[in-house]
Amino acid sequence: MTAEPGGVRARVAQRQQPPASRPRARVEPGQDPAQPEGTASLIAGKRRLIDDLDARIIALIGERMAVSGEIQAARLGSGGRRLHLNREMEVLRTYGEALGRPGTSVAMTLLELCRGRV
């Protein structure tokens, strides 16, 4: 018995062969090959924007730390305490209301950065 050209054996043999390889587009280092070409440049631009925002946030935190230190020095100079717990609770509440539970964590970190600079 001989196999027909389009018979079962021919179809099975055809399925077992690897698919024909397609020419691949050149992928730049750091580029995800699954993303369309314009997406990579969009992401790179947005990352630069985030880097700029982070730099501005860090600068603002430094400024807040300096002002907080001045307040602490004034309070201690007049015989008061370094920390004002009611004020810290206001800050925690403000951040929590604006950003939810993670906002409270941000506020805790911010308050920790600003304590004890005198």
Side-chain angles (χ1 to χ4, degrees):
M1 187 152 123
T2 60
E4 300 173 27
V8 174
R9 288 184 186 164
R11 287 192 300 268
V12 169
Q14 189 178 31
R15 278 191 228 141
Q16 291 175 349
Q17 292 181 5
S21 62
R22 297 181 308 220
R24 293 185 178 180
R26 185 167 193 278
V27 177
E28 297 297 323
Q31 180 183 355
D32 183 350
Q35 293 178 347
E37 198 171 305
T39 303
S41 64
L42 172 80
I43 290 171
K46 295 299 180 184
R47 285 182 177 158
R48 283 190 299 274
L49 178 58
I50 285 175
D51 290 344
D52 180 57
L53 290 169
D54 286 342
R56 291 166 41 198
I57 290 168
I58 290 168
L60 287 170
I61 290 171
E63 188 176 335
R64 188 189 196 285
M65 290 168 65
V67 171
S68 179
E70 292 171 10
I71 291 170
Q72 290 174 45
R75 197 177 308 122
L76 286 171
S78 66
R81 297 176 52 179
R82 184 171 55 91
L83 298 178
H84 190 266
L85 296 179
N86 287 340
R87 173 64 182 148
E88 288 198 359
M89 293 305 295
E90 286 177 34
V91 172
L92 292 170
R93 189 172 33 259
T94 298
Y95 277 76
E97 288 173 357
L99 303 171
R101 184 179 212 144
T104 303
S105 296
V106 169
M108 290 292 290
T109 301
L110 192 57
L111 290 170
E112 182 180 351
L113 286 167
C114 293
R115 286 187 197 122
R117 299 292 177 190
V118 176

